[in-house]
Amino acid sequence: LSKSMQYGIANAVLGGDLLYAVALAEVGKLRNLQRGAEVLKVVTQAHIDVQVGQLLDIQNGQDIETLKRVHDLKTGTLFKACALSAYAFRQPECSATREEAEAFGIAFGRLFQLRNDLDDAHQVEELARAAGSDLASGRGSLERFSLQDQQELQATARVELLTSLERLVSHPVPSLSGAHESGVALRALVAEYL
C-alpha cells in the first residue's frame, strides 16, 4: 500500500522531508570530508530538483516534454542521487565517470516512473490507489498520451538505461567481487525494467 494513500498526501510529503533531513544528518557523520561534501551536494541538489519537479507537476503540463521533465526532476533525480552517492564512495578506485553514474541514475529513474504511471492506470484501490488516480487528480501521467507515444517513450527509456548500464559496468572496481566486475549485480537490479 502506498504510504501517500495510506496516510494522506500531507503526511507523505512530511515523511519525505524528514527522510531528507535524516539523510543530511547521516552525511554529517561521514569521516571522509571530501566524500561527505560530495554526497551533501548531491542530496541537497536532489531535494531542490524534486521540489521544482513537484511545482511543475502541479502546474499540470499537458505535453510529453513537460511530463519527461517532471519525471526527470522527481524520480530521475532520486535515482541519480543514489547513483552519484555510490559513485562518491567508490572514487577514485572506480574508473567510471561521474557523468556515467549520473546517466545511469536518470535513465533508471525515468524508466521506473514510466512503468509506475502505467501501473497506476491498472491499480485497484484496495491495493494502493484507484486506477487512473494520477490522471484524475490532474497530475502529469503517461496515461494522458496515445499508446504509440507510451510505447515510444518506454522503448527510448529502455535503450537509455541499457546503454548507460553497459557504460557503467565496463569499469571494474578492484575492491569489489567478480560478480560486480562483470556487471551482474547492476544487471540484476534493472532486469525487471528492461
Side-chain angles (χ1 to χ4, degrees):
L1 187 59
S2 112
K3 295 301 175 200
S4 63
M5 298 313 293
Q6 186 176 2
Y7 299 110
I9 298 294
N11 285 324
V13 170
L14 184 60
D17 288 345
L18 178 61
L19 287 173
Y20 273 116
V22 169
L24 293 175
E26 290 301 313
V27 169
K29 295 176 186 177
L30 294 175
R31 292 185 184 151
N32 183 317
L33 294 181
Q34 182 179 359
R35 289 179 180 170
E38 179 60 27
V39 172
L40 181 62
K41 285 192 295 189
V42 165
V43 171
T44 54
Q45 186 60 53
H47 191 64
I48 292 166
D49 289 349
V50 168
Q51 301 311 312
V52 170
Q54 184 61 26
L55 288 169
L56 189 59
D57 197 9
I58 291 168
Q59 292 173 3
N60 194 18
Q62 300 290 323
D63 61 280
I64 286 181
E65 291 307 312
T66 301
L67 179 68
K68 287 168 40 177
R69 179 124 171 88
V70 167
H71 285 178
D72 286 351
L73 283 167
K74 292 172 67 178
T75 311
T77 288
L78 295 176
F79 281 70
K80 177 177 80 173
C82 291
L84 288 176
S85 294
Y87 172 80
F89 283 102
R90 282 293 167 208
Q91 278 306 101
E93 65 183 296
C94 177
S95 61
T97 66
R98 186 180 198 285
E99 291 75 22
E100 288 169 328
E102 183 174 340
F104 172 75
I106 291 170
F108 193 7
R110 185 177 293 151
L111 188 55
F112 180 92
Q113 188 58 54
L114 289 169
R115 177 111 168 248
N116 179 269
D117 276 5
L118 294 175
D119 287 348
D120 178 62
H122 308 301
Q123 288 178 343
V124 179
E125 192 167 0
E126 293 81 32
L127 297 176
R129 57 187 180 202
S133 62
D134 281 348
L135 192 58
S137 70
R139 295 181 57 208
S141 176
L142 190 59
E143 299 171 74
R144 119 176 28 255
F145 303 104
S146 72
L147 181 58
Q148 180 180 351
D149 287 340
Q150 293 175 23
Q151 291 170 339
E152 287 174 7
L153 282 171
Q154 288 183 88
T156 300
R158 279 189 191 97
V159 168
E160 289 171 353
L161 179 56
L162 188 55
T163 301
S164 65
L165 171 66
E166 293 307 319
R167 284 186 184 134
L168 193 59
V169 300
S170 69
H171 303 280
V173 179
S175 67
L176 297 179
S177 70
H180 180 76
E181 290 175 9
S182 65
V184 172
L186 281 175
R187 284 187 180 94
L189 179 68
V190 302
E192 175 183 341
Y193 298 92
L194 295 175

